[in-house]
Amino acid sequence: QLVNTNIGHQHPKVVAAIAEQAAKLCTVAPQHVNAARSEAARLVAERTPGDLNHIFFTNAGADAVEHAVRMARLHTGRYKVLSRYRSYHGGTDTAINLTGDPRRWPNDYASSGVVHFNGPFLYRSSFHAETEEQESQRALEYLDRLIQMEGPDTFAAIILESVPGTAGIMVPPPGYLAGVREICDRYGMVFIADEVMAGFGRTGKWFAIDNFDVQPDLITFAKGVTSGYVPLGGVAISDAIYATFADRPYPGGLTYSGHPLATACAVATINAMEDEGMVANAARIGSDVLGPGLHELARKHPSVGEVRGLGVFWAIELVADRQTREPLAPYGGSSAALNAVVAACKSGGLLPFSNYNRIHAVPPCNVSDAEVADGLQILDAALTVAD
């Protein structure tokens, strides 16, 4: 689907929990306590890194990003926000302006206080790097120079997808996110980790940033927290930012914040993932089954330039020429060749997530070895079309 059904479709325990909550209390205004919201907040906070123990619920991922940026601006008293090219942060006004892909262009009037920068992506390096170490170091040096030129005291935050999703699942090289953390500390900026797509087990950890041993100041989440069954998003907040609003109320109420049906769904989803070992399964599938299978397809098919990912979160970069790395479809568009590959996937029984010149391999966290094998077989046949 849209990389959100992290426990697959129609999990019986989650469906039952939604029905049970509907019979008990369908809705209540957020100023009134409800048990589902409290338990959902507890379960999320148990899994967030460090002291991000305070949860503000939203309706979905885009408004989670909107509220995280508002919190950062109020906390710092600054306005500008840094966001990388090749990113996606949502479709509402601030979120789409933070986004670093062509969906931003029609609504970008250069008035949202956003400064975009190039992040690390070794396969298509902007820094002429030859190794991951070079890519990380040069990307961090470039980011630091950009901040100095733009004015360090003008930035409220940096927002990064811990592992960029729609933009191509470019796993950050070692040291990069730690370097971003250091830059934020040096200049007094808030580090916002966007975990809307990469969170809740998808990379083989509860949150993708756990792969890099880095603690952000805010985490945005949505999608997998309910496996998409009922819309829900949220912001996990560190103690320091929470303290800003201890005596100064945060002016961001939502009619459906902590909605009982949505949070009951989240409780059941997180418990199902825990009880059935889905996060560990996602890690194992990535390292032992899906990752090796995709690398084998890359060796077999000249149309595959690169495969990359973690857990059940992988991208297949399709190229017209391996030597020049010319993409099979242009950035920001599609092509007859790419459309033919997608059609071959569908005719084989696979609904692919595709974007520009890539097909993403993003099954649920509880996918079985046999299901992955079936998907790889269909992809194998479809890639002959790309070849």
Side-chain angles (χ1 to χ4, degrees):
Q1 302 299 295
L2 290 176
V3 199
N4 61 339
T5 49
N6 286 19
I7 66 170
H9 293 277
Q10 301 303 113
H11 191 293
K13 290 182 179 178
V14 180
V15 172
I18 296 169
E20 181 182 348
Q21 182 63 45
K24 184 189 305 179
L25 179 70
C26 279
T27 190
V28 66
Q31 63 264 38
H32 306 299
V33 172
N34 76 80
R37 181 182 68 185
S38 298
E39 180 64 1
R42 185 186 72 82
L43 290 173
V44 173
E46 276 186 352
R47 288 157 178 80
T48 50
D51 67 351
L52 279 79
N53 297 322
H54 312 279
I55 310 300
F56 178 85
F57 285 114
T58 65
N59 300 319
D63 59 333
V65 168
E66 297 274 342
H67 284 283
V69 169
R70 286 176 63 184
M71 291 174 189
R73 286 171 168 166
L74 291 168
H75 175 72
T76 61
R78 304 171 183 176
Y79 188 70
K80 284 157 64 176
V81 180
L82 284 152
S83 177
R84 67 172 285 171
Y85 292 111
R86 298 183 186 269
S87 67
Y88 184 74
H89 294 289
T92 48
D93 187 68
T94 300
I96 197 63
N97 275 274
L98 291 166
T99 289
D101 79 14
R103 282 171 285 188
R104 180 188 82 251
W105 299 347
N107 292 105
D108 188 345
Y109 306 110
S111 59
S112 293
V114 178
V115 176
H116 288 95
F117 63 95
N118 288 312
F121 179 19
L122 183 59
Y123 186 73
R124 301 193 181 279
S125 177
S126 300
F127 309 107
H128 308 287
E130 296 178 352
T131 66
E132 284 197 323
E133 184 179 7
Q134 286 182 351
E135 183 76 357
S136 180
Q137 179 183 351
R138 294 175 186 181
L140 288 167
E141 290 172 351
Y142 153 79
L143 176 59
D144 191 39
R145 287 195 302 270
L146 175 65
I147 292 169
Q148 292 177 36
M149 292 295 179
E150 285 280 343
D153 293 340
T154 67
F155 285 105
I158 292 177
I159 185 168
L160 287 172
E161 295 172 275
S162 304
V163 176
T166 306
I169 312 184
M170 301 90 74
V171 179
Y176 181 73
L177 291 182
V180 171
R181 173 73 272 177
E182 191 278 326
I183 287 172
C184 287
D185 291 341
R186 192 188 324 153
Y187 296 124
M189 298 158 57
V190 172
F191 183 2
I192 305 171
D194 185 338
E195 293 268 350
V196 169
M197 187 173 284
F200 288 93
R202 186 144 294 277
T203 66
K205 302 280 189 181
W206 277 104
F207 290 96
I209 203 157
D210 294 336
N211 292 283
F212 309 100
D213 195 27
V214 172
Q215 181 182 327
D217 301 297
L218 298 169
I219 286 177
T220 61
F221 63 88
K223 287 187 182 286
V225 69
T226 61
S227 195
Y229 290 19
V230 182
L232 180 69
V235 184
I237 306 163
S238 66
D239 285 343
I241 295 179
Y242 179 78
T244 294
F245 304 109
D247 300 311
R248 169 193 179 190
Y250 173 66
L254 293 161
T255 299
Y256 300 119
S257 180
H259 190 278
L261 282 184
T263 48
C265 181
V267 169
T269 300
I270 294 170
N271 284 334
M273 294 185 78
E274 188 73 68
D275 295 344
E276 298 174 29
M278 293 187 201
V279 179
N281 185 69
R284 181 190 64 80
I285 287 288
S287 62
D288 297 354
V289 186
L290 182 56
L294 290 173
H295 282 292
E296 180 58 36
L297 292 183
R299 285 188 288 271
K300 180 178 179 181
H301 294 281
S303 57
V304 179
E306 180 181 56
V307 296
R308 52 185 180 264
L310 292 167
V312 287
F313 201 37
W314 289 77
I316 304 150
E317 182 102 5
L318 299 178
V319 293
D321 187 310
R322 262 190 177 171
Q323 298 306 311
T324 66
R325 301 187 178 182
E326 176 190 351
L328 196 64
Y331 181 74
S334 190
S335 68
L338 196 281
N339 290 341
V341 177
V342 171
C345 288
K346 291 179 179 178
S347 67
L350 179 69
L351 290 174
F353 183 101
S354 63
N355 192 33
Y356 307 153
N357 68 311
R358 298 179 312 276
I359 290 176
H360 292 190
V362 284
C365 297
N366 56 345
V367 70
S368 69
D369 294 33
E371 288 164 336
V372 171
D374 288 344
L376 289 170
Q377 186 175 13
I378 298 168
L379 270 176
D380 188 9
L383 288 173
T384 61
V385 176
D387 298 338

